[in-house]
Amino acid sequence: MLNSKDVEKMVRGGLKGMKAYTPVDPVDVLTGRAEVPEGDTAKLDGNENPYGCSPRVQKALAGFQDYNRYPDPDQRDVRRALAVYTGVKADSIVAGAGSDDLIDIILRLFIEPGDRVINCPPTFGMYPFCTVIAGGEVIKVPRRPDFSLDLPAIKKVIDAGTKLIFIASPNNPSGNMAGVAEIKELLSRDLILVVDEAYVEFSGNSLTPLVKQYANLIVLRTFSKWAGIAGLRAGYGICPANIVPYMMKIKQPYNINMAAYVAILESLADLDYLQNTVNAMVKERDVLFKGLQQFKWLKPYPSRANFILCAVLYRSAKDIYLGLQKKGIFIRYFETPELKDYIRISVGRPEDTLRVIAALRDM
Ligand SMILES: Cc1ncc(COP(=O)(O)O)c(C=O)c1O
């Protein structure tokens, strides 16, 4: 009979030493580390929508009667509604449990053990995480000091074994966009380019129209940020139409759950409301940026998303993170080879900005 050690030995070799993904903790756990009463907190660590979801989503989910039924595996209504929202045909769209799900589906579809995937850190951690799980090899091409892509270095590493490259635009955590010329240059190479537009509603510039022109471009989007339903997990990919049937075939059949399904449709039926919250966040991004610029020991980077990255000068980013945490303000800090002593603050409501600036002033 196998003992527990034997079973552990069966874990795939490539996954044993793999670094875990660093997720954000839920607010009750974070509040436990703060010195403030419950509810008296500002959660600015997950790039979420502080205004919540559309009231139409709340109402529809409360009254929904069919939770006992499986959702449509072909995602018909959702893909039709997304086609109207994005201006591409429904047969170019695949929906998933967050864009994370799409990242996973794409890698499972294209990557065989040993295939190479280019990642340009600092960027979203899910790309190398899912690449390793799919058995691919991550080829790291760090961004330049201003967080722009190092195109000559990217071109240099592309070889016959390179299948795919991920580019987030706006990039998380730096907030800057990739240039259209850079994207077109990469599209001219023999590899699949996945452009992650998780924050596109805050930037206003999408590369979606290019999907019709290029056979090797996939654009990812999400409802987590602008639509305020991160907890329901809803995202989608805009993909070359000939690749969609493969993605639909290998995805988990019921990957978007019934609540997310309803929430997507209701969000898309309440665009004016959601656009107002997006506008409020874009306006608040400027207020936060100006507020952060007052501090000589912080260097905020201009952002086209709903967060601002700051280099912390003469101090430790972790100390700032811990100091704010004590006061019930939750942000992210980074101590990686590409980002040493940086913090990232999500854009919140005006009262959150006032609170974070006042707390930083006390430090
Ligand atoms: C660039 C980027 N892509 C994708 C995601 C994940 O989005 P979702 O919640 O749709 O899985 C995030 C979340 O932080 C992100 O920053």
Side-chain angles (χ1 to χ4, degrees):
M1 203 173 109
L2 294 176
N3 64 31
S4 48
K5 279 248 158 57
D6 297 327
V7 176
E8 204 175 327
K9 272 192 211 138
M10 293 180 182
V11 172
R12 279 167 52 194
L15 301 188
K16 279 201 183 124
M18 176 190 157
K19 242 181 91 197
Y21 181 72
T22 318
V24 288
D25 284 319
V27 77
D28 53 333
V29 172
L30 293 167
T31 306
R33 297 177 197 147
E35 293 172 3
V36 293
E38 223 181 292
D40 185 21
T41 56
K43 190 172 184 303
L44 305 174
D45 60 352
N47 306 336
E48 296 143 334
N49 185 332
Y51 299 100
C53 63
S54 145
R56 280 188 64 138
V57 171
Q58 296 274 6
K59 195 162 163 236
L61 290 183
F64 191 70
Q65 296 295 319
D66 293 330
Y67 288 123
N68 56 326
R69 305 293 177 205
Y70 286 100
D72 175 7
D74 288 332
Q75 313 166 338
R76 291 172 184 87
D77 295 342
V78 156
R79 291 167 74 202
R80 267 196 292 267
L82 282 169
V84 176
Y85 179 59
T86 58
V88 300
K89 290 207 176 110
D91 67 3
S92 285
I93 296 172
V94 179
S99 37
D100 289 351
D101 191 21
L102 273 310
I103 294 168
D104 189 51
I105 292 169
I106 290 163
L107 287 165
R108 283 193 293 116
L109 183 62
F110 289 110
I111 299 304
E112 297 191 71
D115 283 345
R116 291 148 61 91
V117 175
I118 301 176
N119 186 44
C120 302
T123 192
F124 187 45
M126 214 62 189
Y127 314 139
F129 174 80
C130 291
T131 299
V132 172
I133 294 174
E137 188 192 343
V138 180
I139 306 298
K140 215 159 113 162
V141 183
R143 286 167 178 262
R144 296 198 182 99
D146 66 354
F147 302 115
S148 60
L149 294 169
D150 189 344
L151 214 54
I154 294 174
K155 287 198 241 168
K156 222 185 258 171
V157 300
I158 297 175
D159 65 12
T162 316
K163 261 207 179 150
L164 210 137
I165 178 167
F166 284 101
I167 307 283
S169 183
N171 185 45
N172 175 12
S174 51
N176 59 318
M177 310 272 297
V180 178
E182 291 175 311
I183 293 295
K184 287 189 172 168
E185 171 73 42
L186 290 172
L187 285 167
S188 72
R189 305 282 152 153
D190 294 344
L191 81 178
I192 297 154
L193 170 58
V194 180
V195 175
D196 185 344
E197 294 191 342
Y199 301 96
V200 70
E201 279 80 3
F202 304 102
S203 80
N205 282 18
S206 176
L207 293 169
T208 300
L210 293 184
V211 176
K212 283 181 205 147
Q213 294 166 36
Y214 290 91
N216 55 337
L217 173 63
I218 298 177
V219 173
L220 301 184
R221 303 267 199 94
T222 179
F223 281 74
S224 293
K225 315 297 178 181
W226 69 287
I229 54 170
L232 289 175
R233 316 301 300 122
Y236 57 102
I238 300 166
C239 319
N242 65 324
I243 297 304
V244 167
Y246 295 103
M247 295 173 70
M248 293 298 285
K249 186 161 73 176
I250 70 153
K251 74 175 181 59
Q252 294 285 328
Y254 308 112
N255 60 337
I256 25 176
N257 68 61
M258 202 63 126
Y261 205 94
V262 171
I264 290 173
L265 295 177
E266 293 297 329
S267 299
L268 293 176
D270 205 6
L271 290 179
D272 286 349
Y273 174 88
L274 289 172
Q275 189 58 50
N276 279 337
T277 69
V278 168
N279 293 347
M281 291 162 78
V282 168
K283 198 167 144 214
E284 200 55 29
R285 179 174 73 197
D286 281 348
V287 179
L288 178 63
F289 188 81
K290 289 197 182 93
L292 294 169
Q293 274 183 318
Q294 309 163 35
F295 301 100
K296 284 202 177 69
W297 50 276
L298 279 181
K299 181 183 172 201
Y301 286 80
S303 169
R304 300 286 298 276
N306 65 336
F307 51 80
I308 294 176
L309 182 75
C310 300
V312 179
L313 314 171
Y314 333 117
R315 295 176 179 213
S316 123
K318 188 173 180 185
D319 287 349
I320 305 302
Y321 161 83
L322 290 172
L324 290 178
Q325 180 175 266
K326 232 190 229 175
K327 293 169 188 273
I329 301 166
F330 309 126
I331 63 162
R332 287 290 294 256
Y333 78 98
F334 301 94
E335 270 182 348
T336 61
E338 291 84 24
L339 275 184
K340 192 117 194 41
D341 279 319
Y342 282 78
I343 55 173
R344 192 197 68 198
I345 306 175
S346 303
V347 175
R349 295 158 301 177
E351 56 266 40
D352 299 319
T353 306
L354 290 174
R355 185 169 175 167
V356 76
I357 297 297
L360 289 169
R361 208 170 279 135
D362 279 353
M363 282 182 165

